């Protein structure tokens, strides 16, 4: 089913009030999870300064990572995990978090591997960007935070990871909100050629396949990210302060390696880690997602995406698709935070 929503996108109105409310709710509280020791060469830079809206970045050892994350809302509230994409960061949820915290949810928004303050615990760990591994990172984070089951919501890489968790570990996913629908793929699927117009939208994937592309992304990563923001959200008039706040996350020492490996792996140009072969074999079968789900799409999404009718059959539980109007692009949580938060609250009711 589809539902046309009109969103007031002047999201900055009332931000001050929301920030004050979030503070009263303990949105940014002292860390309850004790940060573990990281490899000295991977320590968080002393001069790292997040934006003012997220005053405390917590750290916790989870799997092969020391994960940086923000927490909002009561610690005993229903857990919601928010997953960002590329080239974005946790600030995609800066206005979503207080909306959910005000409703009593415990909100967790982690930096994915290769972003922000998230660091590998060992220099020897393979800087692997294959999608299944990013999903495994989130399961490890849930274990570290002692979260058995959560609503998981995301966009771009975050939606792909959320879809994978919902498909393969439904016992850990209470409900799902996925921007652009079903994003589970495989290397075999990535070998199938698309019509020229569709291939054109993936220009950066082909660029990243070259040594020049890797060097270019490393040299111009901020300019590159800003271009992607503009192409993916052509009607989103973000300012320099908003972009720069997120761009700091791309200075992570592993960022380029993770991004390049992710896209090369998708094209079959880079090998993954053999220990995840069983997971990849399951994902290659395009498993149906059984948990309650809402898929979202912005009416001005400039990034590659399928129409809702192409994937609605991949969801067998209670399901709805919503088209978010008003010129909303790819970074839907940041462009339409109320609609994103509302979808999480609604899908919670499905379960």
């Amino acid at each position: 089913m589809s539902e046309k929503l009109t969103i007031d996108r002047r999201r900055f109105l009332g931000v001050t009030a929301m920030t004050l409310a979030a503070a009263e709710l303990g949105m940014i509280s002292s860390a309850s999870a004790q940060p573990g020791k990281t490899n000295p060469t991977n320590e968080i830079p002393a001069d790292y300064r997040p934006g003012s809206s997220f005053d405390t970045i917590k750290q916790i050892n989870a799997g092969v990572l020391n994960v940086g994350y923000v927490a909002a809302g009561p610690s005993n509230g229903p857990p919601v995990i928010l997953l960002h994409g590329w080239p974005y960061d946790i600030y995609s949820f800066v206005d979503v978090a207080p909306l959910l915290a005000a409703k009593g949810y415990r909100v967790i928004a982690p930096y994915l591997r290769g972003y922000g303050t998230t660091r590998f615990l060992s220099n020897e760990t393979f800087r692997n960007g294959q999608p299944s591994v990013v999903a495994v990172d989130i399961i490890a984070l849930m274990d570290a935070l002692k979260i058995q089951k959560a609503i998981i919501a995301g966009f771009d890489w975050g939606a792909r990871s959320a879809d994978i968790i919902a498909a393969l570990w439904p016992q850990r996913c209470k409900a799902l909100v996925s921007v652009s629908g079903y994003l589970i793929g495989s290397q075999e699927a990535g070998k199938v050629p698309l019509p020229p117009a569709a291939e054109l939208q993936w220009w950066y994937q082909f660029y990243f396949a070259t040594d020049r592309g890797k060097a270019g992304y490393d040299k111009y990563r901020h300019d590159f990210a800003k271009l992607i923001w503009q192409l993916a959200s052509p009607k989103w008039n973000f300012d320099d302060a908003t972009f720069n706040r997120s761009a700091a996350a791309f200075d992570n020492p592993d960022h380029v390696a993770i991004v390049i490996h992710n896209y090369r792996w998708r094209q079959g140009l880079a090998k993954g880690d053999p220990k995840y072969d069983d997971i990849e074999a399951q994902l290659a079968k395009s498993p149906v997602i059984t948990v309650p789900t809402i898929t979202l799409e912005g009416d001005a999404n400039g990034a590659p995406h399928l129409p809702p009718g192409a994937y609605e059959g991949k969801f067998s539980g209670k399901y709805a698709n919503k088209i978010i109007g008003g010129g909303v692009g790819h970074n839907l949580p940041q462009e339409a935070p109320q609609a994103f938060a509302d979808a999480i609250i609604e899908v919670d009711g499905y379960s």
Side-chain angles (χ1 to χ4, degrees):
M1 65 190 86
S2 179
E3 174 179 347
K4 191 76 173 177
L5 301 178
T6 300
I7 305 299
D8 179 1
R9 299 180 60 239
R10 293 176 295 177
R11 64 193 183 286
F12 291 108
L13 295 178
V15 167
T16 302
M18 283 199 299
T19 303
L20 291 173
E24 292 174 1
L25 286 161
M27 176 182 173
I28 307 301
S29 58
S30 60
S32 58
Q34 296 298 317
K37 293 182 180 179
T38 61
N39 188 303
T41 60
N42 283 332
E43 288 180 354
I44 300 161
D47 60 351
Y48 185 90
R49 292 292 182 269
S52 60
S53 295
F54 287 140
D55 293 333
T56 300
I57 306 295
K58 300 184 178 185
Q59 300 290 141
I60 189 169
N61 286 353
V64 300
L65 301 172
N66 180 262
V67 179
Y69 69 100
V70 293
S75 60
N76 61 349
V80 176
I81 297 176
L82 305 177
L83 303 178
H84 69 81
W86 172 84
Y88 306 94
D89 80 327
I90 60 173
Y91 282 95
S92 289
F93 307 109
V94 70
D95 293 331
V96 173
L99 293 173
L100 294 174
K103 295 293 184 180
Y105 288 97
R106 176 190 181 189
V107 183
I108 304 293
Y111 282 116
L112 302 185
R113 57 170 55 197
Y115 295 80
T117 63
T118 291
R119 297 289 188 272
F120 284 88
L121 293 172
S122 170
N123 285 334
E124 305 304 315
T125 303
F126 173 30
R127 271 38 177 180
N128 187 343
Q130 67 188 102
S132 63
V133 178
V134 181
V136 169
D137 289 344
I138 304 308
I139 294 292
L141 176 63
M142 292 175 67
D143 290 343
L145 293 174
K146 296 181 171 52
I147 297 174
Q148 179 57 37
K149 199 169 190 176
I151 299 170
I152 305 178
F155 73 106
D156 197 85
W157 286 23
R160 191 179 299 268
S161 299
D163 288 353
I164 291 171
I165 294 170
L168 299 189
W169 295 281
Q171 72 276 15
R172 307 301 299 271
C173 183
K174 181 181 181 183
L176 170 69
V177 173
S178 178
V179 176
S180 297
Y182 186 90
L183 300 177
I184 295 175
S186 66
Q187 285 187 319
E188 285 303 311
K191 295 177 182 178
V192 178
L194 303 173
E199 296 283 22
L200 178 63
Q201 290 187 300
W202 288 105
W203 64 272
Y204 53 87
Q205 181 172 253
F206 299 105
Y207 181 62
F208 288 161
T210 68
D211 289 339
R212 175 174 173 167
K214 179 179 180 181
Y217 185 59
D218 190 11
K219 183 176 181 179
Y220 299 109
R221 66 182 81 176
H222 287 203
D223 292 341
F224 202 104
K226 182 174 282 190
L227 175 61
I228 295 295
W229 279 35
Q230 292 165 341
L231 295 174
S233 299
K235 296 185 179 182
W236 182 31
N237 296 317
F238 60 87
D239 58 20
D240 287 343
T242 298
F243 174 77
N244 292 335
R245 183 177 59 184
S246 289
F250 314 144
D251 293 334
N252 183 294
D254 301 305
H255 179 73
V256 173
I258 295 297
V259 170
I260 296 300
H261 184 264
N262 178 283
Y263 286 104
R264 288 184 179 181
W265 182 90
R266 293 194 207 184
Q267 290 188 304
L269 301 176
K271 293 182 179 180
D273 190 327
K275 69 182 178 182
Y276 300 106
D277 285 351
D278 288 345
I279 294 177
E280 295 297 349
Q282 295 178 67
L283 297 175
K285 297 176 183 178
S286 298
V288 170
I289 292 174
T290 59
V291 305
T293 300
I294 290 177
T295 56
L296 301 174
E297 192 63 80
D299 67 339
N301 184 4
H305 63 282
L306 294 171
Y311 53 72
E312 60 185 4
K314 302 304 294 184
F315 301 95
S316 64
K318 187 170 183 180
Y319 171 75
N321 172 258
K322 298 178 185 291
I323 306 299
I324 310 304
V328 175
H330 190 58
N331 186 3
L332 194 150
Q334 197 164 0
E335 298 177 62
Q338 187 68 62
F340 193 80
D342 286 347
I344 291 169
I345 295 167
E346 180 177 338
V347 81
D348 187 17
Y350 290 2
S351 57

